[in-house]
Amino acid sequence: MGMHLKKEEEQIFDGEFGEGMQKAMELLVAIGDAYDAEKMISVSRAHAASSGQEGDLYFVELLANGGACCRVPTSTNPVYDVEYFDDLFEIPKYEADVARRVMEAYKRVGAIMSWSCIPYMAENIPLYGETVAFSESSATPYVNSVLGARTNREAAQSALAAGVIGKTPEYGLHFKENRKGTHLIRVETVLRDEFDYTLLGYYVGKRIGYGVPVLTGISRRPNTEELINFCAMSNVSGAVSMFYILGFTIEASNLEEAFQGDLPKDKITVTDHELKQAYCELQTTSEKIDFVMLGCPHYTLKQIEEVARLLQGKKMRKDVAFWVCTSATTKVLAERNGCVDVIERAGGHVIVDTCIDEPCWIVYKDKVGMTDSPKCAYYRRFKEARVERLQDCVETAIREK
Ligand code: F3S
């Protein structure tokens, strides 16, 4: 063991605080050793990218059965909407049991049962300068770049372990020098909406792979949803845990600061052509669709309002199912302002606590979907997916054949 541990950390490592905390500490120490960290640092919050899958079940039950309990607020990712699904679909009993046990175990370790992949919007919001441990593709870059807190690109397990111990090994993005820009991205096109940010994120992540892109040329302040989409897509097609949009993100106001005096490794220009190229790459089918899946990442209230506006007074085709995934917190607000009612009267569903990456969607394994999210298409549990703007998804769902 190369890390220097304080007395209490050693006691936890030796099992004096119970087996659950010991297992969490063993994982953190192993990660710290792998990254040559010298010590642990405190975290003020964590987000575990939980899922209703066996690997997640194994680790969270290991900690829960060993008596571990979160020392700092630790939110959770989508798993399974127990009440909603049981009425609609025949989920294989094994899959349903795994998901239920995962949710029960997270409850036992005292996690925040947000079951949302955008907890940084409501249930678990880091402040500027906080040291945290966040997993989940949109969450890590959003927390680093938009909020100005510091997190590495955690896994569900390392984030949960950090939440239980209240610490994480000090390496990577916890150091200022590792937060410097690597690639200069000159955006030479007008980004019109959230979908353009989706395409931009997809293209940038794919081009640079691993790195910290610094984007210039964006003249309009991106809104929250545009930033969420850029984060989610760049950290799926690539490994982008941090980025800068000069003029709008928090940690650097000019190129000198963003690159910390160094030169970029590479310079990339993004025009309309690159966005169109990204769009074309995402089209893998033109087959008739069976369902529309929105809310990957989980939709915000504003996005649900837009869906309701597009569906006002409309009726969905009988042969197309229409899903909007969001958090329980957001759904309450969308119910209060009548949006859920509008979507349901049109024939759609607003569903919480789950997402397309969960085994409960296995019912769609032979079906063709349509989504506004390349991430949804990438993690699909269905046959094929068309990736289009929200308006096109809605129009396709309501259009007469
Ligand atoms: Fe969120 Fe699930 Fe998509 S975690 S980003 S809705 S695959």
Side-chain angles (χ1 to χ4, degrees):
M1 190 170 71
M3 286 182 74
H4 170 74
L5 296 185
K6 291 185 180 157
K7 185 154 180 261
E8 192 205 41
E9 294 162 359
E10 258 177 18
Q11 288 171 324
I12 296 172
F13 190 82
D14 291 339
E16 291 178 35
F17 285 66
E19 203 188 343
M21 287 190 74
Q22 183 183 28
K23 293 296 172 199
M25 185 58 103
E26 281 175 4
L27 179 68
L28 295 180
V29 168
I31 292 170
D33 284 346
Y35 284 98
D36 291 328
E38 289 182 4
K39 62 178 172 43
M40 295 281 180
I41 48 171
S42 295
V43 295
S44 47
R45 58 186 74 246
H47 174 70
S50 50
S51 74
Q53 300 174 64
E54 283 174 353
D56 202 37
L57 176 65
Y58 169 77
F59 191 67
V60 67
E61 281 197 339
L62 188 67
L63 301 202
N65 294 342
C69 194
C70 294
R71 283 180 162 181
V72 297
T74 302
S75 44
T76 47
N77 237 35
V79 177
Y80 180 53
D81 185 333
V82 176
E83 289 166 28
Y84 209 104
F85 265 88
D86 283 359
D87 289 344
L88 287 176
F89 293 140
E90 189 81 15
I91 314 278
K93 185 172 173 332
Y94 177 75
E95 303 287 9
D97 285 348
V98 169
R100 283 197 176 94
R101 279 172 59 193
V102 165
M103 295 174 99
E104 181 55 33
Y106 272 100
K107 187 177 176 185
R108 284 196 283 140
V109 296
I112 302 168
M113 289 181 288
S114 48
W115 314 126
S116 167
C117 55
I118 55 166
Y120 48 83
M121 292 295 292
E123 299 88 356
N124 196 9
I125 310 172
L127 297 178
Y128 180 79
E130 269 190 58
T131 298
V132 303
F134 268 48
S135 47
E136 177 50 33
S137 55
S138 78
T140 305
Y142 197 96
V143 160
N144 278 316
S145 320
V146 180
L147 302 180
R150 292 189 174 194
T151 180
N152 278 317
R153 190 177 195 254
E154 303 288 352
Q157 291 74 18
S158 61
L160 175 60
V164 159
I165 303 294
K167 296 193 175 180
T168 191
E170 187 179 39
Y171 71 96
L173 292 173
H174 294 298
F175 290 111
K176 183 169 188 284
E177 61 266 29
N178 295 329
R179 298 170 76 82
K180 78 175 162 197
T182 55
H183 297 72
L184 177 62
I185 314 291
R186 293 195 189 102
V187 179
E188 294 182 359
T189 181
V190 176
L191 301 168
R192 292 163 295 165
D193 56 15
E194 292 159 32
F195 193 68
D196 278 351
Y197 273 85
T198 292
L199 297 177
L200 179 68
Y202 174 84
Y203 180 79
V204 168
K206 202 155 178 217
R207 270 300 297 269
I208 74 169
Y210 175 76
V212 179
V214 179
L215 288 85
T216 62
I218 294 176
S219 54
R220 174 178 63 76
R221 177 178 293 282
N223 66 34
T224 304
E225 290 73 15
E226 289 167 342
L227 289 166
I228 291 173
N229 284 356
F230 180 80
C231 290
M233 303 316 155
S234 60
N235 208 15
V236 166
S237 61
V240 175
S241 302
M242 171 140 194
F243 64 92
Y244 298 91
I245 299 181
L246 286 189
F248 302 119
T249 52
I250 206 161
E251 258 181 61
S253 53
N254 55 48
L255 287 173
E256 173 74 16
E257 281 176 21
F259 287 102
Q260 297 182 21
D262 275 358
L263 291 174
K265 268 192 208 166
D266 200 2
K267 296 178 184 172
I268 294 164
T269 301
V270 180
T271 66
D272 257 354
H273 173 76
E274 281 72 28
L275 293 192
K276 277 192 191 123
Q277 183 187 324
Y279 171 80
C280 291
E281 266 178 36
L282 291 165
Q283 307 310 319
T284 58
T285 180
S286 54
E287 282 182 67
K288 177 190 155 309
I289 64 160
D290 301 298
F291 66 96
V292 167
M293 180 68 64
L294 304 171
C296 172
H298 271 178
Y299 261 11
T300 64
L301 183 61
K302 179 170 167 255
Q303 290 170 310
I304 294 179
E305 285 171 348
E306 178 62 6
V307 176
R309 191 185 69 74
L310 293 166
L311 283 175
Q312 185 73 49
K314 306 273 173 39
K315 273 275 177 227
M316 223 73 78
R317 280 164 44 183
K318 290 249 180 319
D319 58 346
V320 174
F322 189 92
W323 297 95
V324 182
C325 296
T326 190
S327 68
T329 314
T330 305
K331 186 172 179 184
V332 168
L333 298 177
E335 277 168 345
R336 287 183 182 172
N337 71 10
C339 289
V340 172
D341 192 44
V342 170
I343 294 168
E344 287 180 348
R345 269 191 282 123
H349 303 271
V350 179
I351 186 160
V352 302
D353 299 345
T354 188
C355 84
I356 192 59
D357 191 29
E358 293 302 311
C360 51
W361 295 95
I362 197 167
V363 287
Y364 282 146
K365 75 177 186 337
D366 300 320
K367 307 283 186 193
V368 176
M370 191 177 213
T371 176
D372 58 349
S373 162
K375 182 175 176 185
C376 174
Y378 176 79
Y379 281 138
R380 64 174 182 249
R381 292 190 176 269
F382 36 92
K383 195 172 129 201
E384 289 291 348
R386 286 161 62 183
V387 181
E388 299 287 354
R389 279 191 158 71
L390 167 63
Q391 292 85 334
D392 296 325
C393 294
V394 171
E395 271 168 30
T396 306
I398 61 181
R399 191 184 304 138
E400 289 304 319
K401 281 188 286 178

